[in-house]
Amino acid sequence: MKYALVTGGSRGLGRAICIKLAQQGIPVIINYQSNANAAEEVKDIIVNNGGIAELLPFNVSDKNSVDEALEKWETEHADDYISILVNNAGIREDNLMIFMQDEQWDNVLKVSLYGSFYVTRRLLKNMLSKRYGRIINITSLSGIKGLPGQTNYSAAKAGIIGATKALAQEVAPRKVTVNAVAPGFISTDMTKELDEETLKKLVPMGRFGKPEEVASLVSFLASEESSYITGEVISINGGLYT
Ligand code: NAP
């Protein structure tokens, strides 16, 4: 069986992506770091609607945990492989560069940029040998345009864009596609303390996006129908920036 792994699948965009992929009949592995209750809830929703879902907690920024968890999963699923990877786990620790602490810089790069690298590297082997794979990296408007107060986050997300474009060319001959999705403001825990009333006035559509809207785009990129799209960065931001 072919599975999809969604990192940070317990909340926000990852949660919506897990549910959407499961609705398409894809067995889903829900990764999370610490919020087991939220992850269980996503699993219950999927299973109660006739889908297949498993939990696989690990910290994406910890290389050994990534390798151990995926090694164990592969041993327990000898006949299955992960053909779809959504690198979604991410954090924000905003600060002006002049006040930025080493830990704030390191933490954000470790989860988004290093985390995507550790998980992708681990899963590529099977995708290449089976000659099929879909890798979708969740970047951000912040990685395209740059946002003040987010030099760490913008650097991490811009790094993901560079890696997406390079890897897409490395693995294209083996029918593995690699694309990035760049959301603008989407209503999740990550954006809940932002001043939505003020910020939504900047968005031509006049509102924040919904996680389900991002999930629909990811679901298309994860499908066989997206076979000739690779190395792309697709914005989903209500017209905020193009
Ligand atoms: P969120 O609501 O804060 O959820 C973050 C998810 O990532 C949670 O499932 C969390 O797991 C998981 N996570 C965090 N650190 C992790 C780690 N080290 N290892 C494994 N999982 C980890 O965030 P979101 O808004 O859905 O954002 C999802 C992605 O979209 C992020 O990459 C973010 O940068 C990007 N993005 C979001 C927006 C937006 O407006 N919301 C815009 C552009 C890009 P736990 O539940 O266990 O904590």
Side-chain angles (χ1 to χ4, degrees):
M1 226 158 36
K2 288 179 183 172
Y3 276 76
L5 168 64
V6 181
T7 67
S10 51
R11 293 184 286 120
L13 302 188
R15 171 192 161 104
I17 293 165
C18 287
I19 293 169
K20 182 74 183 181
L21 293 177
Q23 282 169 355
Q24 311 301 310
I26 299 164
V28 174
I29 305 164
I30 305 162
N31 160 258
Y32 63 99
Q33 183 177 27
S34 56
N35 200 329
N37 288 342
E40 282 286 355
E41 201 181 296
V42 181
K43 182 180 168 191
D44 288 347
I45 291 170
I46 292 173
V47 172
N48 292 339
N49 284 286
I52 299 173
E54 296 175 20
L55 302 181
L56 194 63
F58 59 83
N59 176 356
V60 295
S61 67
D62 178 343
K63 189 169 41 179
N64 294 330
S65 304
V66 170
D67 286 343
E68 272 166 31
L70 292 172
E71 188 87 40
K72 186 163 178 289
W73 188 89
E74 284 175 359
T75 307
E76 289 168 1
H77 291 79
D79 297 328
D80 308 318
Y81 89 105
I82 297 170
S83 65
I84 299 168
L85 166 62
V86 185
N87 283 309
N88 165 77
I91 56 167
R92 266 179 53 205
E93 292 195 25
D94 296 354
N95 210 341
L96 297 174
M97 170 74 94
I98 193 145
F99 302 123
M100 181 80 66
Q101 302 299 304
D102 289 353
E103 304 77 56
Q104 294 177 315
W105 182 269
D106 291 347
N107 291 345
V108 169
L109 268 91
K110 275 184 191 158
V111 176
S112 278
L113 188 57
Y114 284 59
S116 303
F117 164 57
Y118 295 144
V119 181
T120 305
R121 178 177 61 180
R122 185 65 186 68
L123 296 182
L124 260 184
K125 196 178 58 175
N126 263 336
M127 292 187 191
L128 294 175
S129 65
K130 310 266 188 209
R131 293 179 179 267
Y132 182 83
R134 294 280 182 267
I135 299 170
I136 298 114
N137 297 321
I138 307 298
T139 178
S140 170
L141 170 70
S142 186
I144 299 176
K145 179 185 176 289
L147 290 179
Q150 292 199 324
T151 50
N152 52 354
Y153 186 83
S154 294
K157 295 300 192 182
I160 287 175
I161 291 173
T164 299
K165 292 181 177 182
L167 181 61
Q169 294 170 69
E170 283 183 23
V171 299
R174 297 285 180 123
K175 299 192 176 69
V176 177
T177 66
V178 191
N179 291 291
V181 166
F185 293 116
I186 312 294
S187 301
T188 68
D189 290 345
M190 188 179 270
T191 50
K192 71 177 177 212
E193 86 280 13
L194 298 182
D195 180 357
E196 184 168 343
E197 282 310 303
T198 305
L199 289 171
K200 73 182 187 185
K201 295 189 184 113
L202 302 173
V203 183
M205 284 197 181
R207 64 175 178 86
F208 277 20
K210 299 178 199 144
E212 292 74 21
E213 292 173 313
V214 179
S216 292
L217 171 56
V218 171
S219 153
F220 170 67
L221 291 173
S223 73
E224 295 189 13
E225 287 171 17
S226 68
S227 48
Y228 204 51
I229 303 173
T230 198
E232 286 300 318
V233 184
I234 304 179
S235 287
I236 175 161
N237 59 29
L240 179 58
Y241 186 83
T242 53

